Amino acid sequence: MSKRVFVGGLHHESDTFNPIITSREEIWVTRGRDLFAKRESSASGIINTLVAAGYEVVPSLVARAVPNGVWDHEYYQELKAELLQGLAEAGTIDAICLSLHGSMRVDRIGEAEQDLLQAIRELHPTTPLFTSLDMHATLTRRMRHAADGFVGYKCAPHTDTYETGIHAALMVIRTLGGNKKPTMAAVRIPMLIAGEQSETSVEPMKSLIQELRTREQREGVLACSYLLGFPWADGRENAVHAVVVTQGDQAQADGLAKELAQIFWSRRKEFGFYNETRMPSDALKATRESIEQGVYPVVISDSGDNPTAGSSGDVTSFLSLILSDPVLSKLDPPLLYQGFYDPEVVKQAFNTGVGASFDCLLGAKFDAVKSKPVKARVTVRSVKNKWEGANGADLALLDVEGVDVVVASKHVGCYDPQMMRVLGAEPKERKAIVVKLGYLEPEIRCIAKRSMMALTTGSSDELFERLPYRNLPRPIYPLDGEFEAELELI
């Protein structure tokens, strides 16, 4: 009889500075046999690897949402109960392999992964339990001691999600095929790092990831990971962690985790914004100069309000600055801005119709603290009903006082240029484009003749000193400058 492995997961990056509660309407769930459909995800990597190796996969559910604020408490409890019920009814299970994010948080609970893993441990206290994690997972002590092994993504942007699922499944296979219980060690590194400072194609992350891969080739080592934490969550255990999983050798795991932590800490001063990065007004000045020189399209990241990092997507400060610019607000063709989360304005656009105009208050519907709505008379350029590329959101392209603005009825990522194209706006034909992003995804990057990141405000503010941390453990680098770090096992 083939060995049986229970598979499921929850995936979300939760920004605690964003007041939005991620609701059940924004969460999509894949259940049962539907999990066997081919997808480029860590869950698919897990399932396909186990099936190919002759294991019986017992599928549960995988729930996901676009990064946003913390999850709705009641819906999380429903999904958790459903997953646990499936596990309880599954019969004999030889191992559990999950696809988790690592920085998911739930209203009134906090860190979701430690809550879920501890509940699973109550049902299966000794069953081997492994999980893939996002590179930006936030490890906690409770989470670390509730599993046998973690492996995180090694690429940022995250182009290796499927491969990380394969890696998690291989840890299951090697464990069930041997007679040694896996051992894991983790060392806390007191640092905060934004994704925009840790792309793995450049230093120092390029060689730091190579340090992991080199050690994974050693006898008895199952996985090595750097889990960078999530800076836009005010957690009591937020930090970078070096994590090592071995086949039964705790001393080896401890030693490698300490070694990797020391290497990472020694390179702390090398992290920085390696793309062109400017304060908002300076970014607009540089854009004007670039256009005058014939170097365009210029793509600017509105990084402080990046929905794919969990921000609300409705902070208007940068748009207001552009509207006050006598050049950029009057470009021909107009500056293209993607985009804003404002279902009320989208509804008005659909009701008014293409070509018609209406008065509205755009933005600041969900986060009314960090900015104010833009009061404007807008003209509807085009609309798109329930676009599949944005999780079924309704989209509208509005002329807002000389600037073309994409507005969505749902909280969606702004990384896909197809969102502009389905509204009839070809970004390659524009001189200036603004996207609510941090580092540019490849699809956007290839359009830009020049790109820069504007250090705007919002719930994904890249300048951490502007964020109202209350629970963050101190001291922490770089907020507290230089200090002697205690790199301790957790």
Side-chain angles (χ1 to χ4, degrees), residues 141 144-145 184-188 241-242 250-251 253-258 486-490:
R141 286 175 174 81
R144 175 255 180 276
H145 290 284
M184 180 163 58
V187 174
R188 180 179 180 272
H241 287 84
Q250 188 66 58
D254 291 350
L256 286 177
K258 290 177 181 178
E486 296 180 6
L487 303 178
E488 299 177 339
L489 291 162
I490 66 167

Side-chain angles (χ1 to χ4, degrees), residues 278-323:
R278 297 174 179 269
M279 296 303 290
S281 295
D282 192 32
L284 297 188
K285 179 183 177 183
T287 300
R288 292 193 302 269
E289 293 171 349
S290 193
I291 292 172
E292 288 173 4
Q293 295 164 5
V295 180
Y296 53 80
V298 179
V299 179
I300 311 171
S301 297
D302 177 1
S303 64
D305 190 33
N306 175 8
T308 51
S311 195
S312 58
D314 72 339
V315 177
T316 62
S317 305
F318 198 47
L319 175 60
S320 296
L321 192 63
I322 291 168
L323 292 174

Side-chain angles (χ1 to χ4, degrees), residues 128-439:
L129 195 169
F130 296 93
T131 176
S132 63
L133 293 173
D134 192 283
M135 179 183 283
H136 301 106
T138 304
L139 195 63
T140 68
R141 286 175 174 81
R142 287 170 56 195
M143 179 180 164
R144 175 255 180 276
H145 290 284
D148 292 295
F150 297 123
V151 59
Y153 304 157
K154 289 182 173 65
C155 296
H158 305 319
T159 56
D160 65 333
T161 58
Y162 186 88
E163 289 77 9
T164 306
I166 292 173
H167 197 148
L170 290 175
M171 289 198 292
V172 171
I173 293 168
R174 289 178 68 179
T175 298
L176 295 183
N179 54 14
K180 291 183 178 180
K181 180 178 172 60
T183 53
M184 180 163 58
V187 174
R188 180 179 180 272
I189 309 164
M191 292 176 62
L192 284 182
I193 300 175
E196 287 65 36
Q197 296 178 323
S198 55
E199 283 193 50
T200 52
S201 61
V202 297
E203 296 295 347
M205 283 302 295
K206 184 176 181 179
S207 56
L208 287 169
I209 295 299
Q210 187 56 46
E211 298 280 2
L212 302 178
R213 296 190 188 280
T214 297
R215 284 159 182 77
E216 285 179 339
Q217 301 306 310
R218 296 184 184 179
E219 185 69 25
V221 177
L222 293 176
C224 297
S225 305
Y226 284 126
L227 303 179
L228 303 186
F230 187 59
W232 299 297
D234 191 14
R236 297 182 185 279
E237 298 179 69
N238 207 348
V240 177
H241 287 84
V243 182
V244 176
V245 186
T246 60
Q247 284 184 303
D249 190 336
Q250 188 66 58
Q252 182 187 33
D254 291 350
L256 286 177
K258 290 177 181 178
E259 180 185 5
L260 289 168
Q262 184 58 55
I263 292 171
F264 199 100
W265 177 250
S266 71
R267 303 193 67 177
R268 63 192 177 279
K269 295 179 183 178
E270 298 178 43
F271 286 93
F273 299 120
Y274 35 79
N275 294 322
E276 184 178 353
T277 304
R278 297 174 179 269
M279 296 303 290
S281 295
D282 192 32
L284 297 188
K285 179 183 177 183
T287 300
R288 292 193 302 269
E289 293 171 349
S290 193
I291 292 172
E292 288 173 4
Q293 295 164 5
V295 180
Y296 53 80
V298 179
V299 179
I300 311 171
S301 297
D302 177 1
S303 64
D305 190 33
N306 175 8
T308 51
S311 195
S312 58
D314 72 339
V315 177
T316 62
S317 305
F318 198 47
L319 175 60
S320 296
L321 192 63
I322 291 168
L323 292 174
S324 68
D325 187 292
V327 176
L328 297 181
S329 64
K330 299 294 186 292
L331 290 178
D332 183 19
L335 181 147
L336 184 56
Y337 202 130
Q338 180 171 287
F340 281 82
Y341 173 35
D342 194 327
E344 180 181 313
V345 168
V346 172
K347 184 177 180 181
Q348 287 179 274
F350 272 75
N351 290 339
T352 303
V354 174
S357 301
F358 62 95
D359 295 317
C360 71
L361 294 173
L362 174 63
K365 297 291 197 309
F366 300 94
D367 190 337
V369 173
K370 298 181 183 69
S371 68
K372 296 179 181 179
V374 169
K375 185 177 182 180
R377 183 163 186 80
V378 305
T379 300
V380 184
R381 288 192 177 273
S382 60
V383 296
K384 179 66 176 179
N385 186 47
K386 293 182 172 52
W387 185 51
E388 291 183 0
N391 196 27
D394 292 332
L395 305 175
L397 182 66
L398 305 179
D399 174 358
V400 182
E401 298 181 359
V403 175
D404 281 355
V405 179
V406 177
V407 190
S409 65
K410 294 183 179 182
H411 185 269
V412 297
C414 296
Y415 53 84
D416 190 350
Q418 285 301 116
M419 189 185 298
M420 309 175 203
R421 292 180 175 127
V422 297
L423 289 166
E426 174 49 61
K428 291 182 180 179
E429 298 174 355
R430 303 297 173 115
K431 295 175 181 175
I433 303 161
V434 178
V435 285
K436 285 187 178 289
L437 272 178
Y439 52 59

